[in-house]
Amino acid sequence: MFIALSDTSFPVLFRDDEDTFKILIATDIHLGYLEKDPVRGNDTFVTFNEILDQAQKNEVDFILLGGDLFHDNKPSRKTVHSCLESLRKYCMGDRPVQFEILSDQAVNFNYSKFPWVNYQDENLNISIPVFSIHGNHDDPTGADALCALDILSCAGLLNHFGRSASVEKIDISPILLRKGRTKIALYGLGAIPDERLYRMFVNKQVTMLRPKEDEDSWFNLFVIHQNRSKHGATNYIPEQFLDDFINLVVWGHEHECKIAPFQNEQQRFYISQPGSSVVTSLSPGEAVKKHIGLLHVKGKKMKMEKIALETVRTFHIEDIVLADHPDLFNPDNPNVTQAIQAFCMEKVELMLDTAERERLGNPRQPEKPIIRLRVDYAGGFEPFSVHRFSQKYMHRVANPKDIIHFFRHREQKEKKDIDLNFGKLVSRPTEGTALRVEDLVKQYFQTAEKKVQLSLLTERGMGEAVQEFVDKEEKDAIEELVKFQLEKTQRFLKERHTDAEEGKIDEEILFSVITVQFQAMIRARAHRSEDEVLVSASSDEDSMDMESISPGDGLSSTLSRGRGRARGRARGARGQNSTARGSSRRGRGKKNLAVFVLQFIL
């Protein structure tokens, strides 16, 4: 039986001693976010130092990070330097580490050139070990499949674990820890594209290995970095996919703070969602107060202590629907725009007053707050100049350029089943719409002329390659995809002893694609009867690239082993309300770049 409390008081029978693990838990720190912003540039570094300082003050056994330590896949020198400086300052020292590792470290850290935990390295003096999985922002990419966490691991300041060796089958081997009589099996799985991981769970290709001896005596802790809230039929990981022997799941990637352990009624395990430590998108989920967790584990009992972060910049958001105020606003009134502007100014002033009152009780909080006012102007109203409005608050808020957001939510709901064209693909995205390069590529080919349709490559593979080019600046991604698929097709044709005639070659390629689709359909039918949840994963499109013909998965495993994992800047707010990450200007630029790449290569 578990003790899962979120207050600061211990039950009498739960005391810290030589058998108790103390673990500091945090996720989605996003070091380097807006580092060039003159006001918010240092926010992530200041809060990271606060997190490490809390670990040092509480004398934790180790720090557990749930992914997205860095905001960019290729962080700047300033960001890497600041991270190294903080880790060296707070995590190195003479205080002895009180727990031991029982598992085979060559398996746990098999991707590292130094496959052992850093505090056991005779050349290092580590007082607080840091264990971290990678997220979708800082995932391994490129021909060598390296990420920023590998730099920290090579420097001996962090233990990077949870990397999967294959995109076809995942065996999650735990790090086995022991302190006194308490034993923890620490499982980790770094970010994988949600659709792919969903499909692998459906096809029973994900296995969590258990200790061979006394498997029921271990406290099973699993850290994962995936969509928890549903963004589409297969674009998330349902909680019921996870094994029921798990005791606690630390869920990264979602930015809304829900750190108090919540029990899944079906699987009976607890889930803690720490959320992000910095506001990276102007959505309601980010406005929830930020916390980190201090997890106490003794035997198979646990307690989560919430620690509020004091250096996080305060964020207030409010929505206004103009049509809900007919007594104040009449669209036929020639002065209605001025009335709307005055009303918005009044709302902003109230939010500023609230923010100032909160800051008075916390001197460590940054002076300028983040303010967001979303205005639904559906019903015949016209927006006023956001630029002129923002000028009034240049020295009072941290985000003056996007303090106001106009949208017509009700009219958007009525627009359904509209044929997409190329011009609409590069239109400005609305807030709340997740911009993903893979979706853009798919939409492009759905509306493209027959002469530019793909026959040898697949939309999924091309989408991943273009996304690598745009999001991760992998300049060789498209060339590697084409070369990989071309060589694979050549091998296939040689094995079939196909004559060098264009018609014969086309027939053989078509035959191979149809064969893959048929095999996928048979597998989907077999799984459909097992569980109701699996129905949504049985479409032909989602199953297309499960065989060797797929350039998406094949390219990932052969060239980068982690390619296509980024959803990062495109995915948006974490928490149950998703909003496109970053400004609309940045999103529009990403769309234009992806469209340009498609036009150029086709």
Side-chain angles (χ1 to χ4, degrees):
M1 183 176 180
F2 294 97
I3 299 173
L5 305 174
S6 58
D7 59 13
T8 57
S9 61
F10 282 97
V12 175
L13 54 86
F14 202 128
R15 298 291 183 186
D16 283 347
D17 54 25
E18 65 276 4
D19 296 326
T20 304
F21 273 95
K22 288 202 298 185
I23 308 166
L24 188 114
I25 293 178
T27 66
D28 298 273
I29 296 172
H30 287 275
L31 288 176
Y33 176 71
L34 292 183
E35 63 177 324
K36 295 182 179 180
D37 188 284
V39 178
R40 303 166 64 185
N42 288 322
D43 285 5
T44 58
F45 307 122
V46 172
T47 303
F48 185 48
N49 282 332
E50 181 188 0
I51 293 171
L52 297 180
D53 184 56
Q54 286 287 353
Q56 193 177 74
K57 288 179 178 177
N58 286 281
E59 298 183 344
V60 301
D61 291 297
F62 64 90
I63 298 172
L64 180 62
L65 302 180
D68 280 354
L69 174 60
F70 295 98
H71 183 71
D72 291 316
N73 185 263
K74 297 179 180 178
S76 68
R77 283 173 289 185
K78 173 189 175 182
T79 298
V80 174
H81 180 270
S82 297
C83 181
L84 291 170
E85 180 183 3
S86 298
L87 289 173
R88 179 169 178 172
K89 177 181 178 181
Y90 290 100
C91 298
M92 299 188 75
D94 296 328
R95 188 172 72 91
V97 176
Q98 301 292 338
F99 66 90
E100 58 182 328
I101 295 184
L102 306 180
S103 54
D104 185 353
Q105 298 184 48
V107 175
N108 300 140
F109 309 109
N110 61 326
Y111 278 92
S112 175
K113 296 295 183 181
F114 307 94
W116 54 82
V117 70
N118 60 351
Y119 76 86
Q120 292 182 350
D121 193 313
E122 60 183 11
N123 298 311
L124 300 173
N125 210 19
I126 303 296
S127 60
I128 305 178
V130 180
F131 294 87
S132 179
I133 63 171
H134 62 261
N136 55 298
H137 280 258
D138 51 12
D139 61 320
T141 59
D144 296 322
L146 294 174
C147 65
L149 294 185
D150 293 317
I151 298 176
L152 303 182
S153 176
C154 188
L157 295 174
L158 181 145
N159 303 290
H160 180 200
F161 75 110
R163 292 186 58 169
S164 57
S166 171
V167 297
E168 297 178 355
K169 190 178 189 306
I170 298 176
D171 291 326
I172 307 175
S173 182
I175 303 175
L176 302 181
L177 314 173
R178 182 173 65 188
K179 182 181 180 183
R181 292 176 294 178
T182 299
K183 297 184 294 184
I184 294 180
L186 177 59
Y187 297 84
L189 182 62
I192 296 176
D194 290 294
E195 296 90 340
R196 179 184 300 163
L197 185 58
Y198 187 106
R199 191 168 57 249
M200 295 179 76
F201 270 112
V202 166
N203 292 315
K204 303 188 184 305
Q205 295 170 330
V206 180
T207 304
M208 299 184 70
L209 305 178
R210 304 197 62 181
K212 294 181 179 179
E213 299 180 0
D214 300 324
E215 63 178 30
D216 293 331
S217 65
W218 295 82
F219 183 90
N220 300 294
L221 175 60
F222 181 37
V223 56
I224 186 174
H225 191 97
Q226 302 291 154
N227 271 338
R228 184 183 176 193
S229 55
K230 188 173 183 178
H231 295 272
T234 61
N235 195 15
Y236 76 115
I237 302 301
E239 296 173 6
Q240 59 265 32
F241 278 7
L242 307 183
D243 288 291
D244 56 7
F245 70 82
I246 299 172
N247 302 128
L248 176 65
V249 179
V250 176
W251 207 299
H253 187 61
E254 302 284 359
H255 279 208
E256 183 176 358
C257 182
K258 297 181 178 180
I259 199 166
F262 175 81
Q263 189 173 30
N264 180 288
E265 294 298 332
Q266 180 177 348
Q267 301 293 87
R268 307 304 297 171
F269 52 63
Y270 287 86
I271 299 175
S272 174
Q273 181 179 301
S276 67
S277 60
V278 63
V279 176
T280 60
S281 60
L282 305 181
S283 65
E286 294 274 19
V288 178
K289 188 169 180 60
K290 306 291 187 183
H291 293 81
I292 55 176
L294 184 58
L295 177 66
H296 304 256
V297 178
K298 182 177 181 180
K300 298 201 68 173
K301 300 173 183 177
M302 70 173 180
K303 173 187 174 295
M304 181 72 78
E305 181 180 346
K306 296 168 59 174
I307 302 176
L309 292 172
E310 298 179 352
T311 59
V312 176
R313 191 177 298 274
T314 184
F315 171 42
H316 293 273
I317 184 171
E318 190 170 334
D319 292 341
I320 297 176
V321 180
L322 298 180
D324 291 345
H325 301 277
D327 54 328
L328 299 177
F329 310 118
N330 182 359
D332 297 328
N333 187 339
N335 298 320
V336 66
T337 302
Q338 290 83 351
I340 294 172
Q341 183 170 346
F343 185 76
C344 290
M345 290 181 62
E346 181 180 350
K347 289 290 185 181
V348 170
E349 290 293 339
L350 289 174
M351 285 192 283
L352 284 171
D353 290 342
T354 302
E356 180 62 24
R357 286 194 299 271
E358 291 181 2
R359 196 182 73 84
L360 290 176
N362 182 12
R364 300 182 64 186
Q365 197 172 78
E367 181 179 355
K368 296 180 180 179
I370 302 172
I371 301 295
R372 183 67 152 182
L373 188 62
R374 302 190 300 187
V375 182
D376 184 350
Y377 68 102
F381 299 98
E382 292 295 331
F384 54 78
S385 172
V386 175
H387 179 71
R388 284 200 296 267
F389 185 90
S390 301
Q391 292 294 320
K392 307 177 189 298
Y393 300 96
M394 287 294 295
H395 302 292
R396 300 181 63 189
V397 300
N399 61 318
K401 293 182 179 180
D402 50 13
I403 190 172
I404 291 281
H405 173 68
F406 284 101
F407 68 102
R408 290 183 288 192
H409 188 68
R410 293 179 178 176
E411 294 182 10
Q412 288 176 3
K413 286 186 176 180
E414 297 172 0
K415 296 180 179 179
K416 297 180 180 179
D417 301 324
I418 299 178
D419 294 334
L420 292 170
N421 58 46
F422 199 75
K424 290 181 180 179
L425 292 179
V426 296
S427 61
R428 178 172 178 169
T430 59
E431 184 170 272
T433 302
L435 171 62
R436 301 198 314 158
V437 175
E438 305 97 305
D439 295 336
L440 177 62
V441 173
K442 181 178 179 180
Q443 292 171 1
Y444 173 79
F445 286 114
Q446 286 177 344
T447 58
E449 298 179 6
K450 185 176 181 180
K451 62 181 180 180
V452 295
Q453 292 288 346
L454 296 175
S455 57
L456 181 59
L457 306 176
T458 68
E459 294 174 3
R460 183 185 296 276
M462 181 60 73
E464 290 187 0
V466 174
Q467 182 239 3
E468 288 283 302
F469 183 91
V470 174
D471 280 348
K472 304 296 181 64
E473 299 180 4
E474 293 291 341
K475 299 179 180 180
D476 299 326
I478 298 174
E479 180 181 352
E480 290 175 350
L481 166 70
V482 175
K483 181 179 179 181
F484 173 80
Q485 188 63 20
L486 182 60
E487 292 176 351
K488 184 160 52 175
T489 305
Q490 289 172 342
R491 291 195 302 268
F492 175 80
L493 294 175
K494 288 180 181 179
E495 292 173 359
R496 300 277 298 178
H497 304 291
T498 305
D499 297 332
E501 298 180 7
E502 184 175 350
K504 284 282 188 181
I505 292 176
D506 290 342
E507 289 179 5
E508 290 293 342
I509 293 177
L510 179 61
F511 171 77
S512 67
V513 173
I514 292 175
T515 301
V516 171
Q517 290 178 330
F518 179 75
Q519 293 173 346
M521 186 165 46
I522 294 299
R523 283 194 302 271
R525 288 178 179 176
H527 287 291
R528 193 176 297 139
S529 59
E530 295 181 5
D531 195 311
E532 183 178 340
V533 179
L534 308 188
V535 176
S536 59
S538 62
S539 65
D540 291 342
E541 179 182 353
D542 288 337
S543 303
M544 272 288 289
D545 63 341
M546 293 177 60
E547 295 293 326
S548 60
I549 195 68
S550 163
D553 288 348
L555 180 65
S556 301
S557 60
T558 304
L559 297 174
S560 70
R561 298 185 181 179
R563 176 151 297 163
R565 293 181 181 177
R567 294 290 181 265
R569 287 171 286 235
R571 178 155 297 164
R574 312 309 173 209
Q576 309 309 319
N577 298 308
S578 175
T579 302
R581 184 176 300 281
S583 66
S584 59
R585 181 183 304 171
R586 184 178 184 182
R588 185 167 67 253
K590 184 185 295 184
K591 274 193 172 184
N592 290 337
L593 177 58
V595 168
F596 172 78
V597 170
L598 287 172
Q599 288 180 318
F600 180 80
I601 63 179
L602 295 174

